[in-house]
Amino acid sequence: MKSGPKKRRQSHGSAWHWKQTDSWYYTEPGTKKRIPLLDENGERIRGKGNKREAEIALAREKLTWSNQDSAPNRGNWKVVNVCSEYLQYCERGVANGSVSQGYRNNAVYWLNSLCEFCGAMPLSEFKKVHVQDWIDCHPTWKSSATRRCAIAITQAAFNRAEEMYGLVNPLKGLKKPKENPRLQSISPDDEQKIYEVCNDRFRDFLFAAFRTGLRPFCELARLTADDVEEHDRGMMWRVYSSKTDKPRKIPVRPEVAKLTRELMKSAPKGSGKPLFRNSRDRPWKSTNGVSHYLRVKSKLGWSEDPVRGSYACYTCRHTFVHRMLSGFWNGGVGASIETVAELIGDTPATTFRHYGREWAQHYQEPLWQAIGDSAARSSSSSPQKSTKQTKPGKRSPIPGKSTKCRRSSSKSRGA
């Protein structure tokens, strides 16, 4: 017997739990979109046992349905409302540690700029072309990284508005400029020239950056003595990156370990002081670090140089990766992509995409072997040479063919 149609367990407008995400949602009457329920801190309510808390959150949400100014899908949202909601989310994230201060500052800069351009525009009229016009009206935003950042934060604001309030996202499918990282590598001679015009504090900071590959300001500048561990094989650093939100441990070279022990005398364990500080005894930040590096390039006359003029503090990280992949400290034996990715805190896919094709020996060596390069074959495990010489007038065996098969076939023909 055919069963009847399934009945909905709960009507639209009720709180319901989704096992796949372990979160509570509701569906506004007249729509089909699920909207997550949030607590007072703006975080999703999780756990099947938190039904009471979900119902309270839904009651707070229903109060906004009668408010025409804040109700979703009413057609009266503007671009400034979306930006304001996202900035409030960033402020809450900074307070509870889920959003970094740097990301919040970037969001404030980009979204305020967007609101100055078209903040009063209704969301129903906002199109992708308006984002492109906003970017084009700033002639100083030439770098693809700058444009990518502006579009990424704008898309994040509208994605959250769609997820939280069920608004139609007008920026779906908007493509960001192609990623074009600057992957220059500083030579040892240029490195020494930099040290000659630096003060002692900035020299120590760059010296460690060249030999660890850490991100200068979100990793290296925050390192304290509490993150240093001594082992039988040497020193290791416990590194936490606000960019990836993942801790990792890395070994450091002996010269860096020696410098670390000297710096720990003025910033011992328990003091909370960063090991690398500027001349005012404050942590290095991107603002004062960049200004120091610009003065270095000006003193060396590199500002107008087409190659050296693009050097920055982040170039120390690229230089470390280049030296690791080329075997600079290991007798010419380069490290693998996976090893370098673990040291610098990136995924192997990202590391290979940025550095592998240009610098990695483990990628280039098979290419040399594929074209039959003799040096590449001799460096690898070469097969034993045959002592049997080919008689004059006879053709040498074809590579890949078995001589045994040829002899057996000749016997069969003779028979």
Side-chain angles (χ1 to χ4, degrees):
M1 185 175 178
K2 206 171 184 181
S3 60
K6 291 184 179 180
K7 293 183 179 181
R8 187 182 300 276
R9 294 182 180 179
Q10 291 178 334
S11 61
H12 276 31
S14 301
W16 52 274
H17 180 262
W18 192 18
K19 184 177 179 181
Q20 183 173 343
T21 60
D22 193 27
S23 301
W24 285 88
Y25 298 84
Y26 75 93
T27 304
E28 189 178 359
T31 67
K32 296 182 179 181
K33 185 175 180 63
R34 61 176 179 268
I35 303 175
L37 288 168
L38 310 177
D39 58 17
E40 294 181 351
N41 296 325
E43 300 296 330
R44 291 194 180 190
I45 300 175
R46 302 182 184 274
K48 194 171 183 179
N50 292 328
K51 182 177 180 180
R52 177 64 177 170
E53 186 179 353
E55 290 177 347
I56 295 175
L58 179 59
R60 289 197 303 266
E61 190 69 22
K62 286 182 176 180
L63 292 176
T64 65
W65 293 358
S66 59
N67 187 352
Q68 293 294 325
D69 294 333
S70 59
N73 297 327
R74 306 299 187 194
N76 58 353
W77 276 68
K78 299 180 180 179
V79 174
V80 66
N81 300 126
V82 176
C83 297
S84 176
E85 286 291 331
Y86 191 72
L87 291 181
Q88 292 179 33
Y89 159 75
C90 291
E91 292 291 348
R92 293 193 300 268
V94 171
N96 59 33
S98 61
V99 176
S100 67
Q101 185 71 35
Y103 182 85
R104 176 260 179 195
N105 294 340
N106 287 338
V108 169
Y109 174 76
W110 297 119
L111 296 182
N112 282 340
S113 176
L114 177 64
C115 290
E116 290 177 2
F117 180 77
C118 59
M121 181 178 293
L123 205 58
S124 57
E125 301 177 10
F126 188 64
K127 306 294 181 185
K128 300 175 187 176
V129 66
H130 296 116
V131 177
Q132 190 62 48
D133 292 342
W134 163 55
I135 294 176
D136 292 339
C137 75
H138 293 83
T140 57
W141 297 357
K142 299 178 181 179
S143 172
S144 60
T146 303
R147 292 170 174 253
R148 281 177 61 88
C149 186
I151 293 176
I153 290 182
T154 304
Q155 283 180 327
F158 281 86
N159 287 338
R160 179 168 177 81
E162 180 185 33
E163 180 183 3
M164 295 291 108
Y165 300 98
L167 300 175
V168 178
N169 187 355
L171 301 185
K172 272 190 175 179
L174 178 62
K175 294 184 178 180
K176 293 180 285 189
K178 186 178 179 181
E179 192 175 17
N180 187 24
R182 296 178 292 180
L183 304 179
Q184 297 93 342
S185 178
I186 300 178
S187 66
D189 293 337
D190 286 346
E191 180 186 351
Q192 293 301 321
K193 292 178 182 178
I194 292 174
Y195 294 154
E196 292 173 1
V197 297
C198 287
N199 58 50
D200 295 340
R201 298 290 184 92
F202 198 51
R203 185 187 303 116
D204 293 342
F205 181 66
L206 294 181
F207 182 84
F210 273 114
R211 283 155 181 80
T212 60
L214 298 185
R215 297 176 178 91
F217 303 108
C218 70
E219 292 181 347
L220 183 60
R222 299 183 179 184
L223 189 76
T224 65
D226 297 325
D227 301 320
V228 178
E229 297 180 2
E230 293 280 3
H231 296 271
D232 296 337
R233 302 186 64 178
M235 179 181 291
M236 296 191 74
W237 286 357
R238 188 190 307 108
V239 181
Y240 172 79
S241 174
S242 59
K243 180 176 181 179
T244 60
D245 196 24
K246 294 180 180 179
R248 67 184 188 277
K249 284 186 179 181
I250 61 169
V252 297
R253 292 187 51 77
E255 60 269 23
V256 179
K258 181 180 178 181
L259 172 63
T260 303
R261 296 185 187 99
E262 291 294 326
L263 296 176
M264 288 175 64
K265 295 178 181 178
S266 59
K269 291 188 177 183
S271 64
K273 288 185 177 181
L275 294 177
F276 299 95
R277 305 182 301 280
N278 57 25
S279 55
R280 296 184 179 181
D281 207 42
R282 297 176 182 174
W284 286 106
K285 294 184 178 181
S286 58
T287 50
N288 50 30
V290 170
S291 62
H292 269 71
Y293 208 94
L294 291 176
R295 285 198 292 268
V296 168
K297 290 197 295 185
S298 179
K299 291 179 181 179
L300 294 174
W302 291 355
S303 300
E304 303 300 327
D305 190 283
V307 177
R308 295 183 176 94
S310 60
Y311 289 168
C313 293
Y314 214 86
T315 313
C316 302
R317 178 177 171 86
H318 304 322
T319 304
F320 171 80
V321 176
H322 180 199
R323 293 178 179 180
M324 288 296 299
L325 294 174
S326 62
F328 182 80
W329 293 297
N330 201 21
V333 180
S336 65
I337 286 290
E338 292 77 12
T339 302
V340 175
E342 181 65 24
L343 289 172
I344 65 175
D346 266 337
T347 62
T350 302
T351 306
F352 180 79
R353 186 172 69 251
H354 288 171
Y355 310 103
R357 295 183 180 275
E358 184 175 359
W359 292 339
Q361 292 179 349
H362 296 272
Y363 175 77
Q364 295 177 352
E365 194 69 22
L367 302 182
W368 285 108
Q369 293 180 3
I371 65 174
D373 180 70
S374 58
R377 288 199 304 269
S378 62
S379 62
S380 60
S381 56
S382 57
Q384 294 182 356
K385 295 182 179 180
S386 175
T387 56
K388 185 177 180 180
Q389 296 182 356
T390 307
K391 293 182 180 180
K394 286 192 175 183
R395 189 178 299 172
S396 60
I398 301 174
K401 295 284 187 178
S402 173
T403 56
K404 183 177 180 181
C405 295
R406 296 181 65 188
R407 286 198 298 269
S408 61
S409 60
S410 61
K411 287 181 180 180
S412 63
R413 287 196 300 268

